[in-house]
Amino acid sequence: MPWLKKLVGALVVLGGVGAVAGWVLSAPARLDSETLAKLGPGDAARGKRIFYAGGCTSCHAKLGSQGEARLALVGGLELKTPFGIFVPPNISQDPKDGIGAWSVEDLANAMLKGVSPSGEHFYPAFPYASYARMKPADIADLYAFLKTLPAVAGKAPGNSLTFPFNIRRGIGLWKLLYLSDQPVISLAEGTPAPVIAGRYLVEGPGHCGECHTPRDFAGGTKKTEWLAGAVAAEGSGVVPNVTSGEGGIGNWSEADIANYLETGFTPGFDSVGGAMVDVQRNMAELTAGDRAAIAAYLKAVPPHPNGYPARKKAK
């Protein structure tokens, strides 16, 4: 049957074209020269602020570490998710097991594009989908601060992922859908400066949306439900709604939010718990102006009802 042979041949050709297109579209993309030129020399004092805003210790410090030990960024924490187990790497200044041999351009490509120095995609458990909104100069400042931290030997274990999530090249297609340097929330002309500053901290280095926003089937954040709360990536808990919508923090004032970020106490005198303990500890390292800006932005975010299913009542 000649027509069958032609059909099979056409399908083979189409399949080949699709495979080539997928390979091209999924290729890792590095920063252009114009963006790299904006990195600048970097300043360690400014970089310390970005370090804590970015919550680097939360994933890369040894579990349970306190004080100066939190600056030994050896990695190894297991993040158990529906996609498999992700293990944050050693990002200390050890040149072999950490990132001590990285250039500032390497760090910028990792944080803004999710691409390793060897040209591979990083998995988005590393929250570069948020870091992509950061200013290159802030990356350079962070790099300068990281250079002041200790080198710690010891390579963290690799990720343990199931098929098809273990195919790293496929992350390139994920990036086409979810990686953007544009703000999530549009602000009107004349918006007060603190709200704009807070948007940058929350949507960029603070990567708050990575936990506080529901995700779709592919693991991308649902920006139409920004900060509405979500099922926790690990375990059976939930991450709260931090908008002013039903179930959120609408009855909190800006001062309440700023105080919570500084002290860990809610307006009702409850204390911070769970994974937020470490986040709040990082927020306490920022300036009062930064915390006030975050609070101003959260009050400006459109309200949403809880972005996770209601808890079932106990029988």
Side-chain angles (χ1 to χ4, degrees):
M1 293 185 288
W3 65 268
L4 183 58
K5 291 182 178 179
K6 289 181 180 179
L7 177 60
V8 172
L11 291 174
V12 170
V13 170
L14 287 173
V17 170
V20 171
W23 186 256
V24 172
L25 290 172
S26 65
R30 297 179 184 273
L31 294 169
D32 56 38
S33 57
E34 183 179 351
T35 303
L36 291 175
K38 296 176 182 177
L39 288 170
D43 178 90
R46 293 195 303 263
K48 181 179 181 180
R49 168 180 175 260
I50 299 301
F51 176 83
Y52 283 109
C56 304
T57 62
S58 297
C59 284
H60 295 280
K62 189 174 180 180
L63 184 64
S65 57
Q66 301 291 329
E68 290 296 310
R70 297 176 70 223
L71 300 179
L73 306 176
V74 70
L77 176 70
E78 288 191 350
L79 304 175
K80 298 176 181 178
T81 77
F83 302 99
I85 299 174
F86 294 98
V87 182
N90 182 332
I91 61 165
S92 79
Q93 290 303 299
D94 187 273
K96 180 181 177 182
D97 297 328
I99 63 171
W102 284 25
S103 66
V104 65
E105 291 82 5
D106 289 334
L107 183 64
N109 274 297
M111 295 188 68
L112 301 180
K113 288 293 188 179
V115 176
S116 73
S118 62
E120 288 188 312
H121 292 298
F122 283 120
Y123 284 101
F126 171 34
Y128 55 77
S130 291
Y131 294 157
R133 303 184 186 99
M134 290 178 64
K135 301 170 186 175
D138 282 346
I139 303 294
D141 290 341
L142 175 62
Y143 180 82
F145 178 71
L146 289 173
K147 282 295 181 185
T148 70
L149 301 184
V152 185
K155 204 167 191 68
N159 300 318
S160 179
L161 308 178
T162 56
F163 180 84
F165 308 115
N166 59 347
I167 302 176
R168 195 178 288 263
R169 182 76 179 210
I171 296 299
L173 300 177
W174 186 93
K175 288 179 179 179
L176 293 177
L177 295 173
Y178 302 110
L179 187 61
S180 172
D181 60 359
Q182 296 302 302
V184 178
I185 301 299
S186 297
L187 298 175
E189 186 175 350
T191 295
V195 177
I196 296 172
R199 179 177 67 174
Y200 178 72
L201 288 168
V202 171
E203 296 187 9
H207 62 280
C208 306
E210 299 290 336
C211 288
H212 286 277
T213 303
R215 293 181 180 271
D216 60 23
F217 73 97
T221 54
K222 296 180 179 179
K223 294 183 173 62
T224 56
E225 299 178 58
W226 185 245
L227 301 181
V231 174
E234 297 186 275
S236 57
V238 296
V239 182
N241 180 348
V242 291
T243 76
S244 294
E246 183 180 355
I249 57 173
N251 61 336
W252 291 29
S253 68
E254 290 184 23
D256 289 335
I257 297 170
N259 182 68
Y260 173 74
L261 295 176
E262 180 182 10
T263 68
F265 288 102
T266 71
F269 300 102
D270 195 4
S271 59
V272 63
M276 190 63 192
V277 171
D278 205 46
V279 175
Q280 183 273 319
R281 184 160 49 176
N282 292 328
M283 293 294 101
E285 296 285 344
L286 300 183
T287 66
D290 283 338
R291 291 188 292 270
I294 291 171
Y297 168 77
L298 291 179
K299 296 299 286 186
V301 170
H304 298 292
N306 286 345
Y308 49 83
R311 295 173 183 264
K312 292 182 179 180
K313 293 183 179 180
K315 294 181 178 180

Coordinates of all heavy atoms in Angstrom, one line a residue, residues 31-72:
L31 N 23.1 35.0 29.3 CA 22.9 36.5 29.3 C 23.6 37.1 28.2 O 24.7 36.7 27.8 CB 23.3 37.1 30.6 CG 22.6 36.7 31.9 CD1 23.3 37.2 33.1 CD2 21.2 37.3 31.9
D32 N 23.0 38.2 27.6 CA 23.7 38.9 26.5 C 24.7 39.8 27.1 O 24.8 40.1 28.3 CB 22.7 39.6 25.6 CG 21.8 40.6 26.4 OD1 22.3 41.2 27.4 OD2 20.6 40.7 26.1
S33 N 25.5 40.4 26.2 CA 26.7 41.2 26.6 C 26.2 42.5 27.3 O 26.8 43.1 28.2 CB 27.6 41.6 25.4 OG 26.8 42.2 24.4
E34 N 25.0 43.0 26.8 CA 24.5 44.2 27.4 C 24.1 44.1 28.8 O 24.4 44.9 29.7 CB 23.2 44.7 26.6 CG 22.6 46.0 27.0 CD 21.4 46.4 26.2 OE1 21.1 45.7 25.2 OE2 20.7 47.3 26.6
T35 N 23.5 42.9 29.2 CA 23.1 42.7 30.6 C 24.4 42.4 31.4 O 24.5 43.0 32.5 CB 22.2 41.4 30.7 OG1 21.1 41.6 29.9 CG2 21.8 41.2 32.1
L36 N 25.3 41.7 30.9 CA 26.6 41.4 31.6 C 27.3 42.7 31.9 O 28.0 42.9 33.0 CB 27.5 40.5 30.9 CG 27.0 39.0 30.7 CD1 27.9 38.2 29.8 CD2 26.9 38.4 32.1
A37 N 27.2 43.7 31.0 CA 27.9 45.0 31.2 C 27.3 45.8 32.4 O 28.0 46.7 32.9 CB 27.8 45.8 30.0
K38 N 26.1 45.4 32.8 CA 25.4 46.1 33.9 C 25.8 45.5 35.3 O 25.4 46.0 36.3 CB 23.9 46.0 33.8 CG 23.4 46.8 32.5 CD 21.9 46.6 32.4 CE 21.3 47.2 31.1 NZ 19.9 46.9 31.0
L39 N 26.6 44.5 35.3 CA 27.0 43.9 36.6 C 27.8 44.8 37.5 O 27.5 44.9 38.7 CB 27.8 42.6 36.3 CG 27.0 41.4 35.8 CD1 27.9 40.3 35.3 CD2 26.0 40.9 36.8
G40 N 28.8 45.5 36.9 CA 29.6 46.4 37.7 C 30.5 45.7 38.6 O 30.6 44.4 38.7
P41 N 31.3 46.4 39.4 CA 32.3 45.8 40.3 C 31.8 45.1 41.5 O 32.4 44.2 42.0 CB 33.2 47.0 40.7 CG 32.2 48.2 40.7 CD 31.3 47.9 39.5
G42 N 30.6 45.4 42.0 CA 30.0 44.7 43.2 C 30.6 45.3 44.5 O 31.7 45.7 44.6
D43 N 29.7 45.3 45.5 CA 30.0 45.8 46.8 C 29.5 44.9 47.8 O 28.3 44.6 47.9 CB 29.4 47.2 47.0 CG 29.7 47.8 48.3 OD1 30.7 48.5 48.5 OD2 28.9 47.5 49.3
A44 N 30.5 44.4 48.7 CA 30.1 43.3 49.6 C 29.1 43.8 50.7 O 28.2 43.0 51.1 CB 31.4 42.8 50.3
A45 N 29.2 45.1 51.1 CA 28.3 45.6 52.1 C 26.8 45.6 51.6 O 25.9 45.2 52.3 CB 28.7 47.0 52.5
R46 N 26.7 46.0 50.3 CA 25.3 46.0 49.7 C 24.9 44.5 49.5 O 23.8 44.2 49.6 CB 25.3 46.8 48.4 CG 25.5 48.3 48.6 CD 25.1 49.0 47.3 NE 25.9 48.5 46.1 CZ 27.0 49.1 45.6 NH1 27.4 50.2 46.2 NH2 27.6 48.7 44.6
G47 N 25.9 43.7 49.1 CA 25.6 42.3 48.9 C 25.1 41.5 50.1 O 24.3 40.6 49.9
K48 N 25.5 42.0 51.3 CA 25.0 41.3 52.5 C 23.5 41.4 52.6 O 22.8 40.5 52.9 CB 25.6 41.9 53.7 CG 25.2 41.3 55.0 CD 25.9 41.9 56.2 CE 25.5 41.2 57.5 NZ 26.2 41.8 58.7
R49 N 23.0 42.6 52.2 CA 21.5 42.8 52.2 C 20.8 41.9 51.2 O 19.8 41.3 51.5 CB 21.2 44.3 51.8 CG 19.8 44.6 51.5 CD 19.6 46.1 51.2 NE 18.3 46.4 50.8 CZ 17.9 46.6 49.5 NH1 18.8 46.4 48.5 NH2 16.7 46.9 49.2
I50 N 21.4 41.8 50.0 CA 20.8 40.9 49.0 C 20.9 39.4 49.5 O 19.9 38.7 49.2 CB 21.5 41.1 47.7 CG1 21.3 42.5 47.2 CG2 21.0 40.1 46.6 CD1 19.9 43.0 47.0
F51 N 21.9 39.1 50.1 CA 22.1 37.7 50.6 C 21.0 37.3 51.5 O 20.4 36.3 51.4 CB 23.5 37.6 51.4 CG 23.7 36.3 52.0 CD1 24.3 35.2 51.3 CD2 23.5 36.1 53.4 CE1 24.5 34.0 51.9 CE2 23.8 34.9 54.0 CZ 24.3 33.9 53.2
Y52 N 20.6 38.2 52.5 CA 19.6 37.9 53.4 C 18.2 38.1 52.8 O 17.3 37.3 53.1 CB 19.7 38.7 54.7 CG 20.8 38.2 55.6 CD1 22.0 38.9 55.7 CD2 20.6 37.0 56.2 CE1 23.0 38.4 56.6 CE2 21.7 36.5 57.0 CZ 22.8 37.2 57.2 OH 23.8 36.7 58.0
A53 N 18.0 39.0 51.9 CA 16.8 39.2 51.2 C 16.5 37.9 50.4 O 15.3 37.5 50.2 CB 16.8 40.4 50.3
G54 N 17.5 37.3 49.8 CA 17.4 36.1 49.0 C 17.3 34.8 49.7 O 17.0 33.8 49.2
G55 N 17.5 34.9 51.1 CA 17.3 33.7 51.9 C 18.3 32.6 51.6 O 17.9 31.4 51.7
C56 N 19.5 32.9 51.2 CA 20.5 31.9 50.8 C 20.7 30.8 51.9 O 20.9 29.6 51.6 CB 21.8 32.5 50.4 SG 21.6 33.8 49.1
T57 N 20.7 31.3 53.2 CA 21.0 30.3 54.2 C 19.9 29.3 54.4 O 20.1 28.2 54.9 CB 21.2 31.0 55.6 OG1 20.0 31.7 55.9 CG2 22.3 32.0 55.5
S58 N 18.6 29.7 54.0 CA 17.5 28.8 54.3 C 17.6 27.4 53.6 O 17.2 26.4 54.2 CB 16.2 29.5 53.8 OG 16.0 30.6 54.5
C59 N 18.2 27.4 52.4 CA 18.4 26.1 51.7 C 19.8 25.6 51.7 O 20.0 24.4 51.6 CB 17.9 26.3 50.3 SG 16.1 26.3 50.1
H60 N 20.8 26.5 51.8 CA 22.2 26.1 51.6 C 23.0 25.9 52.9 O 24.1 25.4 52.8 CB 22.9 27.1 50.6 CG 22.3 27.1 49.3 ND1 22.6 26.1 48.3 CD2 21.4 27.9 48.7 CE1 22.0 26.3 47.2 NE2 21.2 27.4 47.4
A61 N 22.5 26.4 54.0 CA 23.2 26.1 55.3 C 22.8 24.7 55.8 O 21.7 24.2 55.5 CB 22.8 27.2 56.3
K62 N 23.6 24.2 56.6 CA 23.3 22.9 57.2 C 22.1 23.0 58.1 O 22.0 23.9 58.9 CB 24.6 22.4 58.0 CG 24.4 20.9 58.5 CD 25.7 20.5 59.1 CE 25.6 19.0 59.6 NZ 26.9 18.6 60.3
L63 N 21.2 22.0 58.0 CA 20.0 22.0 58.8 C 20.3 22.2 60.3 O 21.1 21.4 60.8 CB 19.2 20.7 58.5 CG 17.9 20.6 59.2 CD1 16.9 21.6 58.7 CD2 17.3 19.2 59.0
G64 N 19.6 23.1 60.9 CA 19.8 23.3 62.3 C 20.9 24.2 62.7 O 21.1 24.4 63.9
S65 N 21.7 24.7 61.8 CA 22.8 25.5 62.1 C 22.4 26.9 62.7 O 21.4 27.4 62.4 CB 23.7 25.7 60.9 OG 23.0 26.3 59.8
Q66 N 23.2 27.4 63.6 CA 22.9 28.7 64.3 C 24.1 29.6 64.2 O 25.3 29.2 63.9 CB 22.6 28.4 65.7 CG 21.4 27.5 66.0 CD 20.1 28.1 65.6 OE1 19.9 29.3 65.7 NE2 19.2 27.3 65.2
G67 N 23.9 30.9 64.3 CA 24.9 31.9 64.4 C 25.8 31.9 63.1 O 25.3 31.8 62.0
E68 N 27.1 32.0 63.3 CA 28.0 32.1 62.2 C 28.0 30.8 61.3 O 28.4 30.8 60.2 CB 29.4 32.3 62.7 CG 29.6 33.7 63.3 CD 29.5 34.8 62.2 OE1 30.1 34.7 61.2 OE2 28.7 35.7 62.5
A69 N 27.6 29.7 61.9 CA 27.5 28.4 61.2 C 26.6 28.5 60.0 O 26.7 27.7 59.1 CB 27.1 27.3 62.2
R70 N 25.6 29.4 60.1 CA 24.7 29.6 59.0 C 25.3 30.1 57.7 O 24.7 30.0 56.6 CB 23.5 30.5 59.4 CG 22.7 30.0 60.6 CD 21.6 31.0 61.0 NE 20.6 31.2 60.0 CZ 20.1 32.3 59.6 NH1 20.6 33.4 60.0 NH2 19.1 32.4 58.7
L71 N 26.5 30.6 57.9 CA 27.2 31.2 56.7 C 28.1 30.1 56.1 O 28.8 30.4 55.1 CB 28.1 32.4 57.1 CG 27.3 33.5 57.7 CD1 28.2 34.7 58.2 CD2 26.2 34.0 56.8
A72 N 28.1 28.9 56.6 CA 28.8 27.8 56.0 C 27.9 27.1 55.0 O 27.1 26.2 55.4 CB 29.3 26.8 57.0

